[in-house]
């Protein structure tokens, strides 16, 4: 397999400036353009040889050659029986000031590109040659998509030089491209093994044939899209890799047992694989078949009927025990974060509704889950009540504090402290998003919003000044407690304005502040208002 010598910089723009058909070979003027930085050569049909400087390579339908920096001397030699047909594209890379220009560059051609890449190449060629389009930016978008597809295939080939087994590489490719025309023949060529060996090893590794595995991915994605708003079966079919809605409906019923329409309406058994989504379901009046709870959440009013549901602690289970626990709940839908390593294995049980981790606020997660459950009205009613509470809190704070100023939230462990941003919760989503505080500039500069947290040694906490300091968790072990006591007795801590003004609040309620969901956020808002109203000295 080939290794790309350069990858795209996020700071470069890529502009096609020339396209030539290869029906009569490569013209002698190729590469003469003074504006061209890089080239792409795509073989759409036929077979022959590509001569590059002093080297030669066999090429055929699906072969691609990319080069840049110094464009090589190229010559094509067609097979007399199956003449070569394809396109040659020259393009420029325009970097933003201060960045380096990068395009695609490989030392030799690679082969068996996907049907989607060939389709994009043909559509781009048609537009270049004058085919009408109502969209003025269509050609530019097509070119970028074409480069993206080629780049993705180069990465697949480059990864084969690692120790990762080819079966794992094939699964990664299928997982990313299931919606395209992925075939066993194409995957066999990409993997560099015989069709028989591919089928045998694929089934041994996954427990399924290639076609069964591909169908599972497509139907699971179709189930998810049916629940999250897709109404047009024909559009959905195209989205998951089928040509038309009738065929999708038939495959859907074969796999799920009911049609897409019936599946959307039916009452579903829900399993939530984390605390935040369990609490979101409870706020909607839905008790999951299986959910993750803290003792604090179990004690809230939302768990009056918990005997009808079950809970588990995924942190105490080994991989097999985790899978068995979820399987025992017989879920129709599993809700999880997209960062969870277990999600892929869970697809054999039910579709996994993956919510983005850290990039979706608790409100957005709540609304998304409500939409999936057909509970939009209940969610909006709940959020309206929360907003009314936040308005009352802000009214009181206007009298108590006036200008809010800066605030910082610390979660202190045995030897490390974490300052938390609104994307992780711990009450900071309320301070920053709902009641008008802002984080100190130093924390922003050190990546608070970028990473979601800043990690420091306990002794360094005093060097992060803020008008208000909230501590949601303290260490429970003696050594950690002693380190906190040393901090609180230190001269640097005692000289902080927040300490002198009695604006340090040691809450130490880790379970209450752990959740990033409607129920936890409501309780956190009440608790924050309670300490801000009292305005006592806590440390």
């Amino acid at each position: 397999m080939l290794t790309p010598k350069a990858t795209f910089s996020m700071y470069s723009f890529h502009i096609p400036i020339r396209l030539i058909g290869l029906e009569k070979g490569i013209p002698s003027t190729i590469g003469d353009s003074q504006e061209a930085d890089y080239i792409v050569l795509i073989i759409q049909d036929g077979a022959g040889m590509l001569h590059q400087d002093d080297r030669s390579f066999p090429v055929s339908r699906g072969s691609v050659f990319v080069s840049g920096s110094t464009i090589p001397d190229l010559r094509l030699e067609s097979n007399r029986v199956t003449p070569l047909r394809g396109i040659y594209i020259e393009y420029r890379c325009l970097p933003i000031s201060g960045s380096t220009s990068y395009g695609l560059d490989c030392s030799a051609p690679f082969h068996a590109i996907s049907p989607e890449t060939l389709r994009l190449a043909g559509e781009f060629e048609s537009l270049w040659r004058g085919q009408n389009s109502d969209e003025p930016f269509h050609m530019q978008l097509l070119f970028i998509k074409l480069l993206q597809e080629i780049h993705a295939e180069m990465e697949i080939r480059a990864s084969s030089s690692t120790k990762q087994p080819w079966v794992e590489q094939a699964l990664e490719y299928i997982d990313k491209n299931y919606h395209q025309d992925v075939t066993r023949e194409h995957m066999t060529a990409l993997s560099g093994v015989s069709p028989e060996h591919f089928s045998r090893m694929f089934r041994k590794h996954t427990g399924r044939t290639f076609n069964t595995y591909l169908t599972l991915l497509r139907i699971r994605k179709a189930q998810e899209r049916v629940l999250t708003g897709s109404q047009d079966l024909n559009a959905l079919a195209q989205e998951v890799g089928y040509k038309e809605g009738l065929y999708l409906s038939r495959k859907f019923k074969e796999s799920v047992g009911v049609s897409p329409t019936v599946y959307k309406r039916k009452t579903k058994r829900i399993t939530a694989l984390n605390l935040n989504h369990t609490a979101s379901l409870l706020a909607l009046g839905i008790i999951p078949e299986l959910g993750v709870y803290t003792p604090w959440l179990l004690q809230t009013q939302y768990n009056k009927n918990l005997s009808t549901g079950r809970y588990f602690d995924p942190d105490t289970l080994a991989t097999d025990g985790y899978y068995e626990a979820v399987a025992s709940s017989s879920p129709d839908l599993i809700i999880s974060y997209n960062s969870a390593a277990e999600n892929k294995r869970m697809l054999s049980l039910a579709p996994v509704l993956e919510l983005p981790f850290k990039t979706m606020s608790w409100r957005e997660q709540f609304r998304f889950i409500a939409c999936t459950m057909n509970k939009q009205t209940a969610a909006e009613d709940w959020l309206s009540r929360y907003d009314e509470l936040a308005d009352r809190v802000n009214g009181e704070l206007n009298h108590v504090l006036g200008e809010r100023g800066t605030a910082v939230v610390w979660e202190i462990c045995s030897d490390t402290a974490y300052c938390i941003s609104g994307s992780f919760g711990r009450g900071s989503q309320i301070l920053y998003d709902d009641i008008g505080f802002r984080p100190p500039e130093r924390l922003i500069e050190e990546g608070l919003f970028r990473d979601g947290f800043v990690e420091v040694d306990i002794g360094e906490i005093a060097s992060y000044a803020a008008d208000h300091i909230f501590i949601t968790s303290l260490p429970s072990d003696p050594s950690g407690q002693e380190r906190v006591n040393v901090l609180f007795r230190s001269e640097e801590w005692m000289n902080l304005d927040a300490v002198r003004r009695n604006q340090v609040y040691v809450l130490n309620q880790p379970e209450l502040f752990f959740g990033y969901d409607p129920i936890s956020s409501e309780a956190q808002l009440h608790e924050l208002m309670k300490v801000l109203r009292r305005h006592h000295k806590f440390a």
Side-chain angles (χ1 to χ4, degrees), residues 149 174-182 214 218 237-242:
E149 288 294 325
I174 296 167
D175 290 346
K176 291 179 181 178
N177 298 278
Y178 67 88
H179 56 290
Q180 297 182 5
D181 186 18
V182 181
L214 182 60
R218 289 173 169 174
Q238 295 285 333
E239 189 177 331
V240 301
Y242 293 125

Side-chain angles (χ1 to χ4, degrees), residues 151-306:
H151 183 248
E153 300 220 19
M154 289 173 68
E155 287 189 321
I156 289 292
R157 288 160 171 79
S159 67
S160 67
S161 61
T162 69
K163 296 181 179 180
Q164 186 184 31
W166 65 261
V167 177
E168 293 291 343
Q169 296 176 43
L171 288 171
E172 285 185 9
Y173 184 90
I174 296 167
D175 290 346
K176 291 179 181 178
N177 298 278
Y178 67 88
H179 56 290
Q180 297 182 5
D181 186 18
V182 181
T183 64
R184 191 190 71 153
E185 291 70 23
H186 179 222
M187 293 309 306
T188 298
L190 280 178
S191 303
V193 298
S194 70
E196 294 75 19
H197 185 63
F198 178 90
S199 295
R200 183 168 59 253
M201 294 305 295
F202 190 92
R203 184 160 193 167
K204 181 178 180 180
H205 193 83
T206 66
R208 291 179 171 83
T209 65
F210 169 78
N211 285 332
T212 302
Y213 184 84
L214 182 60
T215 298
L216 174 69
L217 290 183
R218 289 173 169 174
I219 296 304
R220 291 295 189 236
K221 178 55 68 171
Q223 287 177 274
E224 178 187 330
R225 293 293 293 120
V226 165
L227 294 175
T228 54
S230 182
Q231 303 293 329
D232 188 319
L233 272 185
N234 285 318
L236 178 56
Q238 295 285 333
E239 189 177 331
V240 301
Y242 293 125
K243 296 188 182 303
E244 47 90 22
L246 189 61
Y247 184 74
L248 167 62
S249 185
R250 181 163 65 82
K251 298 294 288 185
F252 192 102
K253 192 168 185 178
E254 288 176 1
S255 298
V256 182
V258 295
S259 69
T261 303
V262 174
Y263 175 75
K264 183 175 179 63
R265 292 198 306 259
K266 68 174 288 193
T267 301
K268 299 169 189 67
R269 298 169 62 90
I270 312 298
T271 289
L273 300 186
N274 62 79
L275 172 70
N276 296 332
H277 301 150
T278 299
S280 291
L281 290 168
L282 293 174
L284 294 170
I286 299 171
I287 299 177
E289 296 298 322
L290 190 66
V292 178
Y293 299 80
T294 60
W296 176 84
L297 183 59
L298 285 170
Q299 295 170 8
T300 66
Q301 60 174 328
Y302 296 92
N303 288 299
K304 294 175 183 177
N305 301 315
L306 188 59

Side-chain angles (χ1 to χ4, degrees), residues 408-474:
V408 61
V409 176
W410 289 105
E411 184 177 90
I412 307 179
C413 303
S414 296
D415 56 4
T416 306
Y418 296 90
C419 173
I420 309 297
S421 80
S423 61
F424 274 97
R426 309 300 201 269
S428 58
Q429 80 278 18
I430 296 165
L431 291 170
Y432 301 148
D433 298 340
D434 294 336
I435 57 177
F437 290 92
R438 65 183 186 278
E441 284 297 322
R442 179 181 173 185
L443 287 167
I444 296 174
E445 293 170 359
E446 293 186 10
L448 180 66
F449 289 153
R450 182 191 66 240
D451 301 326
F453 64 92
V454 171
E455 180 181 357
V456 303
D457 183 87
I458 292 176
E460 297 175 12
I461 291 177
S463 64
Y464 291 85
D467 297 321
H468 297 263
I469 299 174
F470 298 84
I471 300 175
T472 61
S473 177
L474 289 170

Side-chain angles (χ1 to χ4, degrees), residues 28-42:
S28 59
T29 56
I30 273 189
D32 287 350
S33 172
Q34 298 301 308
E35 297 182 340
D37 297 318
Y38 292 87
I39 66 166
V40 177
L41 179 68
I42 301 174

Side-chain angles (χ1 to χ4, degrees), residues 47-58:
M49 297 292 292
L50 173 66
H51 303 286
Q52 173 197 351
D53 297 326
D54 58 349
R55 298 188 299 169
S56 297
F57 306 94

